[in-house]
Amino acid sequence: MDQQTETTLWLVRHGESTANARGIVQGHDDPPDLTLRGRLQAQRLVGILRHRSVDALYSSDLRRALRTANVLSNVLGLPVQTDRALRERGFGVFEGAPLSALRPEFTGIRHGRVEDVHVRPLGGESLDDVYRRAGEFVGWLLLHEVGRNVVVVTHGGTVRAIRAYCAGRKVDELAWDHVPNGSVWRIRMQPPRTDEFQKSQLQSGGSR
């Protein structure tokens, strides 16, 4: 692998939020903030990432991710660049409800496996929707952050979607594994050829 063009992605799930602690569906719901445990998890991320020669810092624009990214920003000396494409999956009418309300017929996930990539909660997103916007972000990043160390602070579902995309796997091939709050995943990537990126943009119906 060419070290000059390799982009290293440090994929981070935000620290524990108040809604995580209460077992509440979050999605695009923005009131949840970090708990004390979540703030401590963000501080631990500093210890993991401060010596990684990080060149850029991106984050979901939702509060729980942005609060986590701001802790890193203060130490790394980098501005936080927010992007809506990094948001958690939208759960529509279920946002603010107990997690127990999210049954497989609404999520498309059963027993830790993806069962239906197209089902979506009323007013929310499907797994395919999340995979597409996550993939679009990664494609853009690979063209604009070539050869750099990039930290991306996002959410559990988006972490899984980005990992699948970077591994060349479809979202329906994904095991819905545990992604703890404050966890870090390192992904090494080569930039796509320009013609491949343009083709993917045409297929997804848009560009950044």
Side-chain angles (χ1 to χ4, degrees):
M1 186 172 284
D2 187 347
Q3 296 296 321
Q4 298 300 313
T5 59
E6 178 183 282
T7 299
T8 300
L9 177 62
W10 299 92
L11 195 57
V12 174
R13 186 185 177 193
H14 62 80
E16 181 188 71
S17 72
T18 51
N20 288 145
R22 295 170 56 206
I24 300 298
V25 178
Q26 295 176 101
H28 291 184
D29 196 25
D30 208 26
D33 206 339
L34 297 185
T35 61
L36 173 59
R37 182 182 181 188
R39 293 194 294 274
L40 291 173
Q41 288 169 336
Q43 289 293 341
R44 283 197 291 271
L45 289 168
V46 169
I48 296 171
L49 297 169
R50 71 186 309 165
H51 301 302
R52 300 294 181 175
S53 301
V54 177
D55 299 299
L57 174 59
Y58 290 83
S59 175
S60 158
D61 63 340
L62 295 175
R63 183 179 316 197
R64 55 198 186 270
L66 195 52
R67 289 277 201 267
T68 304
N70 282 337
V71 173
L72 294 171
S73 173
N74 291 336
V75 176
L76 299 176
L78 294 169
V80 180
Q81 303 178 65
T82 59
D83 198 311
R84 290 175 59 90
L86 294 171
R87 286 187 168 199
E88 179 60 284
R89 178 183 181 181
F91 287 105
V93 297
F94 291 101
E95 292 177 2
L99 284 171
S100 58
L102 276 180
R103 299 194 300 274
E105 58 265 36
F106 303 123
T107 65
I109 302 164
R110 188 184 300 273
H111 303 310
R113 299 293 305 184
V114 174
E115 185 175 75
D116 188 337
V117 301
H118 301 296
V119 68
R120 60 170 54 85
L122 181 63
E125 295 179 290
S126 68
L127 289 170
D128 190 55
D129 293 332
V130 179
Y131 182 81
R132 284 176 178 273
R133 62 173 165 82
E136 182 184 329
F137 173 82
V138 171
W140 179 89
L141 194 72
L142 284 174
L143 289 180
H144 291 83
E145 299 286 1
V146 176
R148 308 184 89 196
N149 276 298
V150 181
V151 172
V152 174
V153 183
T154 184
H155 309 265
T158 316
V159 165
R160 296 180 184 95
I162 290 176
R163 284 167 48 211
Y165 183 87
C166 291
R169 298 169 64 190
K170 297 178 181 178
V171 71
D172 59 0
E173 299 171 337
L174 182 63
W176 208 252
D177 60 342
H178 183 48
V179 178
N181 290 108
S183 57
V184 182
W185 309 79
R186 182 173 68 173
I187 302 173
R188 292 175 172 171
M189 304 175 293
Q190 286 285 344
R193 297 199 314 267
T194 303
D195 58 338
E196 290 178 344
F197 178 70
Q198 291 174 338
K199 180 180 179 181
S200 69
Q201 292 300 293
L202 289 171
Q203 289 174 339
S204 66
S207 62
R208 295 189 62 75

